Amino acid sequence: MPTFGVMMFPTDYAIQPVDLAKAVEQRGLDSLFFPEHTHIPTSRRSPYPGGGELPMEYSHTHDLFVALSAAAVVTKRIRLGTGICLVIERDPIVTAKEVATLDRLSGGRVLFGIGGGWNAEEMEHHGTAWTSRWRLLRERVLAMKKIWTEREASYQGEFVRFERIWADPKPLQKPHPPILIGGDGERTFDRVVEFGDGWMPIMRPHTSPVEKIPALRERLKTAGRDPKSAPVSIFFAPPKREALDALAAAGVVRAIFGLPSEPRDAVLPRLDAYAKLLRP
């Protein structure tokens, strides 16, 4: 059976990160994931991938690392995940510092989920072009890995360039927190194989990324990596016993359930229901 985690947009009007993190740990769940959007452009040119109107939580989301730091202070066991961190909108030196600091302060509990994002005008406000976002993400991740693992790091790429630097602290996890690659596109496995430590796709109503796990393992093997060196976590896993058994049989290691961005009276009963799935 996979371990169980939860994901919620932490907002100013929902149960707050401290209370949520305490409740997740008290119920024996494995992990807590927060996503991020710095802002939502009012033009709304980019359509919401879920269809229909964009939910309010997208423009009310707390800062990702501040929220996870608050969660870290009041917990001791649960993994703290970025789900996902929009690396394409972030300075890599600053982000490397934030991830390393959070990993240190949490006792080595960070799961670094990353992705390319879907809102073209949002990333444009950060100086990122839609057509080159994945090349940019690749370089920023590779640069962060050097910062985390080298005493004097440097990087020279198309988008990221810096001479030798000292940047401490280093993460507590070695060589660095697991990098979980989000997405389910035709080039996703290229990224998992090159610089990922796991795959974290979204399960949608009419498509299942689980069917692609054998192909991922074959790609890893071909690249000279252990076929199980990039374990799979499923975002928005269905909280039903039969579905979870099927995920386990397919080799999924973590099922991440969704939580609404609502007050505690609406969220805690859902957590209770998810916790019941821990029992056979």
Side-chain angles (χ1 to χ4, degrees), residues 186-234:
E186 61 181 51
R187 298 292 303 278
T188 299
F189 288 172
D190 294 344
R191 301 174 193 112
V192 176
V193 169
E194 182 182 8
F195 52 79
D197 304 298
W199 182 36
M200 190 169 64
I202 295 174
M203 179 166 279
R204 304 187 187 278
H206 304 296
T207 59
S208 175
V210 173
E211 300 170 356
K212 299 182 180 180
I213 292 177
L216 171 61
R217 290 178 173 173
E218 187 60 32
R219 284 288 306 276
L220 291 164
K221 182 179 179 181
T222 300
R225 291 182 54 177
D226 182 337
K228 295 185 179 181
S229 63
V232 179
S233 302
I234 296 291

Side-chain angles (χ1 to χ4, degrees), residues 7 30 53 75-76 82 92 123-124 145 185 187 196 237 253 280:
M7 169 273 189
D30 162 77
E53 293 295 320
T75 57
K76 296 184 180 298
T82 61
M123 62 185 75
E124 286 170 4
K145 292 180 75 165
R187 298 292 303 278
V253 302

Side-chain angles (χ1 to χ4, degrees), residues 41-245:
T42 59
S43 67
R44 298 300 303 113
R45 294 197 312 268
S46 292
Y48 172 48
E53 293 295 320
L54 184 71
M56 184 170 67
E57 57 260 30
Y58 280 77
S59 58
H60 281 255
T61 304
H62 287 319
D63 177 87
L64 175 60
F65 288 104
V66 173
L68 286 174
S69 295
V73 169
V74 296
T75 57
K76 296 184 180 298
R77 180 188 53 78
I78 59 171
R79 304 302 298 269
L80 304 167
T82 61
I84 58 172
C85 177
L86 292 172
V87 175
I88 56 162
E89 297 180 358
R90 289 179 158 273
D91 178 275
I93 299 175
V94 173
T95 305
K97 172 78 76 173
E98 290 177 319
V99 172
T101 300
L102 179 61
D103 200 54
R104 281 275 171 183
L105 297 181
S106 68
R109 292 187 281 140
V110 173
L111 297 170
F112 190 44
I114 64 171
W118 57 269
N119 193 310
E121 55 269 32
E122 177 186 348
M123 62 185 75
E124 286 170 4
H125 290 175
H126 291 277
T128 295
W130 175 262
T131 55
S132 58
R133 69 193 189 284
W134 288 113
R135 301 204 312 275
L136 174 66
L137 177 142
R138 174 183 177 273
E139 289 194 5
R140 287 183 176 174
V141 172
L142 293 178
M144 287 190 289
K145 292 180 75 165
K146 290 177 75 68
I147 292 171
W148 290 329
T149 59
E150 297 180 4
R151 175 66 184 129
E152 296 183 356
S154 63
Y155 191 89
Q156 298 295 324
E158 178 185 1
F159 302 98
V160 179
R161 301 182 189 90
F162 54 85
E163 300 298 333
R164 292 189 302 172
I165 64 172
W166 294 324
D168 290 283
K170 303 303 184 188
L172 191 60
Q173 297 181 82
K174 301 302 178 188
H176 50 71
I179 298 172
L180 310 183
I181 309 295
D184 190 14
E186 61 181 51
R187 298 292 303 278
T188 299
F189 288 172
D190 294 344
R191 301 174 193 112
V192 176
V193 169
E194 182 182 8
F195 52 79
D197 304 298
W199 182 36
M200 190 169 64
I202 295 174
M203 179 166 279
R204 304 187 187 278
H206 304 296
T207 59
S208 175
V210 173
E211 300 170 356
K212 299 182 180 180
I213 292 177
L216 171 61
R217 290 178 173 173
E218 187 60 32
R219 284 288 306 276
L220 291 164
K221 182 179 179 181
T222 300
R225 291 182 54 177
D226 182 337
K228 295 185 179 181
S229 63
V232 179
S233 302
I234 296 291
F235 245 68
F236 297 113
K240 300 178 180 178
R241 177 62 59 185
E242 289 185 3
L244 294 171
D245 288 342

